C-alpha cells in the first residue's frame, strides 16, 4: 500500500489496487444520482468511511504487535504512523491507542467494523473503559 502514499497507481490485484478501484466506482455513481438519493449516498459513504477506519485501526494494531515499526528505526509505533502515513501525531496516537483498547472491547470492535459506529464513538467508549470501569463496561458491552 506504500504505492498509494507515493502517488503511484497500485497494481490491480493488490489490496490497495482493489480498494482504489472500488472507491473510483463508488465515486462515479454520484453522476447518476438524483437529488432524492443523495441523503442515502451520504449515509452510505459515512458507513463505508467508518468501516475503512476500522480496517486501518486493525492494521495499525497488528503492526503495533509485530514491532515491524522498529525495523525502520522508530522507537514507538505512533512515530512510525505519524511519519510514514503523514498524519498528525494526535491522529497517529489515537489509532495506536484505539487498536490497543479494542482488544478488550470485542463488541465495540464488531460495531466499528460494520460501520455502525464511527471512530469518534469508539474513542469515547474507549475512554469510558478505564481500569476502574472495565468489569462494568464488559457487562454493558455484552
Amino acid at each position: 500500500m506504500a504505492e498509494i502514499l507515493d502517488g503511484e497507481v497500485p497494481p490491480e490485484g493488490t489490496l490497495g489496487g482493489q480498494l482504489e478501484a472500488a472507491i473510483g466506482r463508488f465515486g462515479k455513481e454520484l453522476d447518476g444520482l438524483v437529488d432524492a438519493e443523495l441523503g442515502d449516498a451520504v449515509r452510505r459513504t459515512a458507513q463505508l468511511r467508518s468501516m475503512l477506519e476500522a480496517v486501518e485501526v486493525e492494521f495499525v494494531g497488528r503492526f503495533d504487535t509485530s514491532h515491524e515499526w522498529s525495523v525502520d528505526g522508530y522507537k514507538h509505533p505512533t512515530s512510525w504512523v505519524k511519519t510514514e502515513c503523514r498524519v498528525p501525531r494526535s491522529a497517529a496516537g489515537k489509532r495506536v491507542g484505539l487498536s490497543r483498547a479494542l482488544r478488550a472491547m470485542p463488541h465495540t470492535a464488531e460495531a466499528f467494523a460494520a460501520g455502525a459506529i464511527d471512530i469518534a464513538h469508539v474513542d469515547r467508549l474507549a475512554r469510558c473503559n478505564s481500569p476502574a470501569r472495565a468489569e462494568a463496561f464488559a457487562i454493558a458491552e455484552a
Side-chain angles (χ1 to χ4, degrees):
M1 297 222 0
E3 64 273 7
I4 293 173
L5 294 175
D6 294 336
E8 298 175 20
V9 177
E12 193 171 309
T14 65
L15 176 61
Q18 293 170 6
L19 182 58
E20 189 171 299
I23 290 169
R25 287 190 303 274
F26 190 71
K28 287 178 184 174
E29 289 183 20
L30 282 173
D31 295 336
L33 294 179
V34 296
D35 289 349
E37 297 172 312
L38 292 173
D40 286 338
V42 170
R43 276 191 292 276
R44 183 66 176 141
T45 302
Q47 180 185 24
L48 291 170
R49 184 192 64 246
S50 292
M51 293 168 73
L52 184 57
E53 285 178 327
V55 170
E56 178 190 15
V57 169
E58 174 68 21
F59 282 159
V60 167
R62 290 182 186 185
F63 190 64
D64 176 20
T65 59
S66 76
H67 292 269
E68 280 296 308
W69 43 267
S70 65
V71 172
D72 293 328
Y74 291 93
K75 305 231 182 281
H76 195 276
T78 297
S79 299
W80 189 97
V81 173
K82 173 193 171 290
T83 303
E84 301 297 328
C85 297
R86 301 176 185 156
V87 298
R89 179 170 294 285
S90 60
K94 179 180 287 190
R95 279 152 179 77
V96 172
L98 291 179
S99 73
R100 293 173 178 176
L102 284 171
R103 294 175 195 152
M105 302 166 61
H107 297 286
T108 301
E110 184 179 318
F112 189 29
I117 59 175
D118 70 3
I119 199 164
H121 290 105
V122 175
D123 186 43
R124 178 66 58 101
L125 290 168
R127 284 194 236 160
C128 290
N129 191 18
S130 66
R133 297 180 188 155
E135 186 176 337
F137 186 92
I139 292 167
E141 188 187 41

